Amino acid sequence: GKPQIVNYLAKQAAGDILILTDADALFYPETLANLLRPFHDPAVGGVQANLLVRGTANEQVAYQEINYNQREVKMKQGEGARGAVIGADGTCYAVRQSLFQPVPEGFYVDDFFIFMSILQQGYQTCFASDAHCIMQVSGDSGIQFRRKVRISKGNFQNLGYFGTLDNPLQSFAGYAFFSHKVIRWIGPFLMAVMLIANLLLLPYHELFTLLLILQLGFYGLGFVDLAFRKLNWYVTPLRYVSHFVLMNIALLVGFFQYLLAPGDGTWDSTP
């Protein structure tokens, strides 16, 4: 699996800085120089590149994935201003070799683990806005669903490892980890609690009947879009709803796979 290859290569590397990248990432001529510049500050242990996301517009969820990734980049940029980018995007990032922590066997999301371990050691992780790197995302909803399931398994592995990183009320890193990542990962459970609470409250006020209709209607719109796909009909708002619903289902599937099937750190590559 990739994490064990990364561990092996990190041992062989002789430089002070490790630059990790995906095989399909495309750099600009100035990317590496700009990625290295923040390391002049000895407090910086890791640097995230600025990702320019590309996709095929006529694919099923390409537009939704591009927008999702663009928002991720903006959040990382904001976190970087406070010295606490939460989890690197593996397309391109750099860490000090002396701070590199080997990825535990069976972990799926190596980039998140490596970057978070920098924060755990008391160093800063920042965002290099001028270190541009082009990444391509697949718009195939089936590929994205399987990818999100795998990432979800890795998320819960990392949550178990870094769950006590920092108190979110006492440090920005702890707050960013909880608000950016943990709340998203437990999103399916929050949605389920909301639905169950709504059902229990039905006898008490007619407002809860309306809220239940709105909840079920929202989820129903996602399945309407799935039916539209078979007819090659594309309604942008509906596509966002179905993408949201399916990705939360993927998170839930990944959680149960994490509980029931120990990982081996390998996965099928995206075509």
Side-chain angles (χ1 to χ4, degrees):
K2 177 188 171 186
Q4 300 309 310
I5 296 296
V6 170
N7 289 346
Y8 172 80
L9 293 175
K11 291 180 180 179
Q12 313 305 313
D16 294 330
I17 305 296
L18 301 177
I19 297 175
L20 298 98
T21 180
D22 285 342
D24 58 352
L26 300 177
F27 293 176
Y28 284 73
E30 70 279 5
T31 298
L32 295 184
N34 293 340
L35 186 66
L36 294 176
R37 189 171 293 114
F39 287 106
H40 288 302
D41 183 347
V44 172
V47 180
Q48 168 72 65
N50 187 359
L51 309 180
L52 305 176
V53 188
R54 301 287 185 264
T56 305
N58 62 352
E59 291 185 338
Q60 293 171 328
V61 292
Y63 188 73
Q64 286 71 28
E65 276 296 314
I66 289 172
N67 276 273
Y68 173 83
N69 281 280
Q70 287 174 339
R71 288 193 297 273
E72 273 288 294
V73 168
K74 288 185 181 295
M75 282 190 282
K76 289 180 184 295
Q77 188 171 13
E79 293 168 349
R82 298 290 300 273
V85 176
I86 304 299
D89 187 301
T91 306
C92 182
Y93 67 104
V95 299
R96 294 188 188 276
Q97 188 191 39
S98 60
L99 302 178
F100 176 86
Q101 295 292 313
V103 183
E105 187 173 353
F107 265 50
Y108 284 91
V109 187
D110 51 282
D111 44 17
F112 188 93
F113 176 89
I114 292 169
F115 224 56
M116 284 296 288
S117 68
I118 301 295
L119 286 174
Q120 194 176 48
Q121 295 174 74
Y123 286 81
Q124 296 179 9
T125 54
C126 66
F127 184 89
S129 58
D130 54 356
H132 295 102
C133 181
I134 298 174
M135 65 175 291
Q136 183 107 3
V137 296
S138 171
D140 185 296
S141 60
I143 289 175
Q144 286 299 337
F145 185 87
R146 292 188 293 273
R147 175 174 167 268
K148 300 287 186 183
V149 169
R150 174 182 62 79
I151 291 175
S152 175
K153 292 174 69 174
N155 290 342
F156 288 106
Q157 286 175 325
N158 279 298
L159 181 58
Y161 195 95
F162 294 107
T164 58
L165 173 70
D166 274 313
N167 186 330
L169 300 178
Q170 294 180 342
S171 77
F172 178 77
Y175 165 76
F177 179 43
F178 181 77
S179 64
H180 182 178
K181 297 296 184 180
V182 176
I183 290 179
R184 181 188 304 166
W185 297 345
I186 64 174
F189 303 101
L190 297 178
M191 293 160 66
V193 167
M194 184 169 64
L195 185 60
I196 293 169
N198 201 157
L199 290 169
L200 294 175
L201 290 168
L202 280 179
Y204 295 97
H205 198 283
E206 60 187 18
L207 171 64
F208 297 110
T209 301
L210 174 61
L211 292 176
L212 180 62
I213 292 172
L214 290 174
Q215 284 190 73
L216 296 178
F218 177 81
Y219 299 139
L221 288 175
F223 290 101
V224 167
D225 180 68
L226 293 180
F228 280 5
R229 294 185 195 188
K230 297 183 182 299
L231 301 172
N232 290 322
W233 294 353
Y234 190 105
V235 181
T236 300
L238 293 184
R239 189 58 50 91
Y240 273 105
V241 173
S242 66
H243 187 250
F244 175 83
V245 171
L246 286 175
M247 293 310 103
N248 275 281
I249 292 174
L251 281 171
L252 199 60
V253 171
F255 170 74
F256 286 109
Q257 287 189 7
Y258 160 70
L259 290 181
L260 300 174
D264 61 4
T266 63
W267 67 89
D268 294 330
S269 60
T270 300

